[in-house]
Amino acid sequence: MNNIIIGLQWGDEGKGKIVDYLTESSDVVIRGQGGNNAGHTVIANGTKYVLHLLPSGILWDDKLNVIGNGVVIDPIGLVQEIERIEAQGIAITPNKLLISDRAHVVLPLHKELDAAREAALGDQKIGTTKRGIGPAYADKVNRCGLRIVDFLDREFTSQQIKRRVVDANEILVRHGLQTFDADEVIAEVYAAFERLRPHVSNTIPALHTAWKSGKNLLFEGAQGTLLDIDFGTYPFVTSSNTTSGGSCTGTGLPPTAIQGVIGVCKAYTTRVGSGPFPTGDEGLSEYLHGLGREFGATTGRPRGCGWLDTVLLRFACMVNGVTGLAVTNVDGLDEYETLQICTSYDIDGEIHTLPPADRKAWDRAVPIYETLPGWKSDTTGCKNFEELPSQAKAYLARLAELCDAPIAFVGVGPDRLQTLVVG
Ligand code: GDP
Ligand code: IMO
Ligand code: MG
């Protein structure tokens, strides 16, 4: 059984934790899009691991992890991440991690161009992670990007980097930002590439061999559906297809290889960065931040928090073809007296059960809520679904009904073991 694990909101739904949990019964974990803008937190055996480019299956021995062709790789960032995770006692060997030779490379100048673009946008800024994701994907689509395979030809790659540095410096000077020395960039990225070289291969045949021999494959999504370049709250989105279709284009495995799509969402909603957030709620944000929760794993920024929004989730279940829901952070609502679920938006007097395309309509969307009783008890010790309080089960049942998708997993804490299997 091959499954996609995908975010249904604006990222940080707890995908990493679910992927880590499901890795035990899988053989291969594959990332197909995004870059180190992602931050996936896994807590296992009392240790916290934060993964950005490494797939969240990396903590398990004897599992293959693949960074697929659709990912944009910052080689310097990836080497730092590998060293950090190795220092936590996890060996990362070439038979455990493969890196696609077709993946595009994020250069240091892409990060600076990301910052320049954000500065130029002023109060219209996207609130990116400044990891160079947009500029790297722009180069890919503009057909001037560098791929991992290009690094095998140092002369060609050096020439390309020199050209890119000249172009980038022109822009950076205009913004009063740091410019680059081409030789330094070449030396820096090559030093990182040499560490990665043993992991680099044509990952597509390896993935097809695994598929054809009946191995269980897990596709790990990064970001979330509302950050998708096509389906998200454009332009406040990331630069890749974060939805289930991206798992095929980003790995070279076809739709026929996939049987299930697990959509991950929180029991409430969060968003980091700019853009519309109809159910955003200051009270809930303050409450969760007060518990030390909802600070971004990549940038440390506090995430905005709000009530569960089933307009978003309904749409996300549609476009991803969700076959099962993983609802995380149910324990975040443990102390609330009453809970709100947004069932539709009122936009200029019209009821919408699906999100609008028009960015101005988003700003006028007034959430329509239904109120449910809270459970007012600690769920973090629940060992199975049956042990959840009846109000929590009713809340989850209503969520599933409004999204027309069954609940498959429930998260009641950040630890690998605080994952309940439903049904
Ligand atoms: P991802 O980007 O989708 O992998 O999610 P992040 O790791 O960025 O953010 C999810 C946050 O919620 C992390 O701090 C996780 O440790 C935490 N988390 C995940 N599931 C649960 C849960 O069920 N309960 C609690 N309390 N925390 C969770
Ligand atoms: P994971 O995989 C939450 C957001 C940024 C910004 C927008 C564009 O951990 O769920 P980018 O740097 O991609 O150009 O930023 O997307 N963003 C995320 N928000 N979780 C993520 O990843 C995100 N990756 C990007 O905050 O609003
Ligand atoms: Mg995250």
Side-chain angles (χ1 to χ4, degrees):
M1 176 88 174
N2 303 330
N3 284 304
I4 297 176
I5 312 301
I6 212 94
L8 300 181
Q9 295 162 322
W10 279 291
D12 301 329
E13 297 90 349
K15 299 174 292 292
K17 180 192 143 163
I18 299 293
V19 169
D20 166 71
Y21 178 81
L22 292 174
T23 300
E24 188 172 16
S25 54
S26 306
D27 302 292
V28 188
V29 182
I30 320 148
R31 269 280 300 272
Q33 46 71 228
N36 57 1
N37 49 347
H40 299 170
T41 313
V42 178
I43 299 181
N45 307 318
T47 305
K48 176 174 164 177
Y49 305 89
V50 180
L51 304 162
H52 299 287
L53 273 160
L54 292 170
S56 300
I58 204 77
L59 306 183
W60 294 86
D61 290 333
D62 307 323
K63 308 288 181 182
L64 179 63
N65 288 267
V66 179
I67 301 178
N69 57 276
V71 176
V72 285
I73 299 175
D74 169 353
I76 299 164
L78 179 53
V79 168
Q80 285 168 353
E81 182 177 344
I82 290 174
E83 285 171 356
R84 188 168 43 76
I85 296 298
E86 286 202 317
Q88 290 188 286
I90 307 292
I92 299 178
T93 53
N95 59 6
K96 200 173 163 190
L97 175 70
L98 297 183
I99 299 172
S100 168
D101 53 4
R102 286 179 166 84
H104 277 252
V105 172
V106 180
L107 296 169
L109 51 94
H110 287 127
K111 292 201 259 184
E112 215 55 28
L113 290 171
D114 193 346
R117 189 147 185 282
E118 285 285 272
L121 283 169
D123 63 2
Q124 292 301 302
K125 72 172 197 260
I126 290 160
T128 73
T129 59
K130 300 205 179 123
R131 295 296 187 276
I133 305 302
Y137 274 119
D139 279 2
K140 172 178 175 174
V141 176
N142 218 7
R143 292 157 296 182
C144 62
L146 274 173
R147 297 183 301 164
I148 292 283
V149 68
D150 296 324
F151 278 71
L152 300 173
D153 180 345
R154 185 157 181 155
E155 203 186 308
F156 169 78
T157 297
S158 300
Q159 270 174 7
Q160 294 293 314
I161 291 178
K162 280 181 186 158
R163 213 174 285 164
R164 293 296 291 121
V165 165
V166 171
D167 292 347
N169 281 350
E170 252 177 52
I171 298 169
L172 296 173
V173 163
R174 249 187 283 139
H175 287 87
L177 286 166
Q178 177 207 338
T179 56
F180 288 91
D181 175 83
D183 291 329
E184 272 175 29
V185 173
I186 293 164
E188 220 185 346
V189 290
Y190 259 96
F193 175 70
E194 290 309 332
R195 166 65 186 86
L196 302 177
R197 190 193 283 263
H199 300 270
V200 173
S201 69
N202 179 0
T203 50
I204 298 166
L207 289 173
H208 276 252
T209 302
W211 171 36
K212 294 292 179 187
S213 61
K215 302 269 195 227
N216 289 324
L217 313 178
L218 209 52
F219 298 78
E220 176 178 14
Q223 291 81 51
T225 302
L226 278 300
L227 290 171
D228 183 282
I229 187 78
D230 283 281
F231 302 116
T233 43
Y234 193 89
F236 300 103
V237 294
T238 191
S239 301
S240 64
N241 280 116
T242 62
T243 40
S244 53
S247 298
C248 294
T249 53
T251 63
L253 283 161
T256 45
I258 296 155
Q259 289 81 43
V261 181
I262 306 293
V264 188
C265 65
K266 282 180 176 142
Y268 46 92
T269 311
T270 63
R271 169 159 216 176
V272 61
S274 326
F277 187 179
T279 66
D281 185 89
E282 261 179 42
L284 191 55
S285 297
E286 270 173 31
Y287 169 75
L288 291 166
H289 294 152
L291 296 177
R293 298 167 71 128
E294 303 307 344
F295 293 91
T298 299
T299 58
R301 292 179 289 178
R303 300 174 184 137
C305 305
W307 298 111
L308 189 74
D309 184 341
T310 62
V311 178
L312 306 184
L313 292 182
R314 191 176 293 122
F315 180 62
C317 287
M318 281 167 62
V319 297
N320 289 300
V322 166
T323 54
L325 291 163
V327 185
T328 69
N329 287 272
V330 167
D331 55 303
L333 301 176
D334 277 355
E335 291 174 7
Y336 262 76
E337 188 80 41
T338 54
L339 304 169
Q340 312 226 71
I341 295 186
C342 167
T343 54
S344 58
Y345 298 157
D346 180 331
I347 304 176
D348 303 329
E350 255 182 53
I351 301 301
H352 293 249
T353 53
L354 290 171
D358 180 2
R359 71 177 88 175
K360 293 197 199 85
W362 274 102
D363 296 334
R364 299 196 302 274
V366 178
I368 297 177
Y369 289 111
E370 93 186 16
T371 304
L372 276 79
W375 42 94
K376 299 274 290 169
S377 60
D378 183 357
T379 57
T380 58
C382 290
K383 295 280 174 262
N384 57 59
F385 183 75
E386 286 316 311
E387 281 181 27
L388 285 173
S390 60
Q391 297 91 332
K393 283 188 222 159
Y395 182 84
L396 292 166
R398 185 64 181 136
L399 186 168
E401 185 181 33
L402 287 163
C403 301
D404 197 21
I407 310 266
F409 302 95
V410 174
V412 290
D415 195 277
R416 180 189 275 171
L417 301 175
Q418 289 169 305
T419 310
L420 315 181
V421 181
V422 184

